[in-house]
Amino acid sequence: MQSHDVQDPVYTVHVGDNSGLIKKVSDLYFVDGDKVADVTWGRGVFWKQVDKSKYDIIGTDLKTGVDFRNLPYEDNSFNHTVIDPPYARITNLKGMVDCYNTTRHTTHDEILGLYRAGLKELVRITKPGGFIFVKCQDEIHGGKQKWTHIEIHDMAVEEFGLYTKDLFVLVNTKKPKPLYKQQHARKNHSYLWVFQAKK
């Protein structure tokens, strides 16, 4: 009987950073030679720990002249796709504005609108059976909890017919301190949805 190497288990909770999580998840779902579109590339931090020689990773964002809401790709042209739009409503970070088309006054509904427009395009360009990675985080808006990861799940399933393959929780090792009197627990985790396109 031939023995096969068994990779280390991939767990639903990862403590660390995005690059460590993406390495584990891509090792779990991708195969050598897969073509992957990361449509919110930024500085490419997702892929720092991934052996990029194994995959054809195409990274774009507004700084490269590509808006994830209107992608220049043919239908079903990628094995897998990745999106990580800004999930912080309020930002002064110039890089966020330049790469992702958000401003200091972006509302929660506008953030969801970015996800909706991006998902529509990713569904179009992802091959049947391919995986769509969606990074998100819940937030407080108007003093009320907004369970963004649930809203995105419902959007993906009900509006786009995607299958929910997995949900990963990324725990940030940095402990952000509240800058104001707390009324809710400070969030030190985010989510990575893995959806699968219809086969």
Side-chain angles (χ1 to χ4, degrees), residues 24-149:
K24 289 186 175 184
V25 178
S26 60
D27 284 347
L28 181 62
Y29 291 118
F30 296 173
V31 298
D32 288 6
D34 276 349
K35 187 176 181 182
V36 183
D38 180 344
V39 299
T40 45
W41 180 258
R43 292 173 295 164
V45 295
F46 268 24
W47 308 98
K48 285 189 174 177
Q49 295 187 43
V50 172
D51 180 357
K52 291 181 280 297
S53 69
K54 292 169 61 175
Y55 315 117
D56 181 11
I57 302 171
I58 309 298
T60 58
D61 55 37
L62 285 179
K63 286 175 71 175
T64 67
V66 178
D67 189 328
F68 63 73
R69 297 167 298 179
N70 185 24
L71 295 168
Y73 307 128
E74 298 290 330
D75 295 357
N76 305 322
S77 53
F78 289 87
N79 298 101
H80 315 292
T81 51
V82 180
I83 190 168
D84 177 29
Y87 36 75
R89 281 186 308 103
I90 299 173
T91 181
N92 286 321
L93 297 177
K94 186 175 186 304
M96 291 278 273
V97 176
D98 290 346
C99 292
Y100 306 128
N101 198 31
T102 188
T103 71
R104 178 173 171 76
H105 302 291
T106 303
T107 67
H108 180 72
D109 285 344
E110 288 168 337
I111 291 291
L112 289 179
L114 290 176
Y115 277 102
R116 179 172 284 106
L119 270 173
K120 183 177 180 181
E121 280 291 85
L122 295 195
V123 169
R124 180 182 67 78
I125 69 171
T126 305
K127 293 182 178 181
F131 297 110
I132 299 174
F133 291 3
V134 181
K135 192 76 197 306
C136 63
Q137 186 176 40
D138 300 330
E139 67 165 349
I140 307 296
H141 184 203
K144 295 186 181 299
Q145 290 277 8
K146 297 295 182 180
W147 302 109
T148 310
H149 80 285

Side-chain angles (χ1 to χ4, degrees), residues 151-195:
E151 294 174 290
I152 289 171
H153 169 272
D154 293 348
M155 181 191 304
V157 172
E158 295 170 11
E159 297 181 32
F160 298 109
L162 299 176
Y163 166 65
T164 307
K165 182 75 173 180
D166 260 320
L167 175 63
F168 294 90
V169 179
L170 174 63
V171 179
N172 191 341
T173 54
K174 297 177 182 177
K175 298 293 190 293
K177 294 182 180 179
L179 302 176
Y180 47 83
K181 179 175 170 50
Q182 276 190 265
Q183 296 180 334
H184 302 87
R186 183 74 171 176
K187 292 172 176 58
N188 67 331
H189 70 282
S190 56
Y191 300 94
L192 177 70
W193 280 113
V194 179
F195 298 112

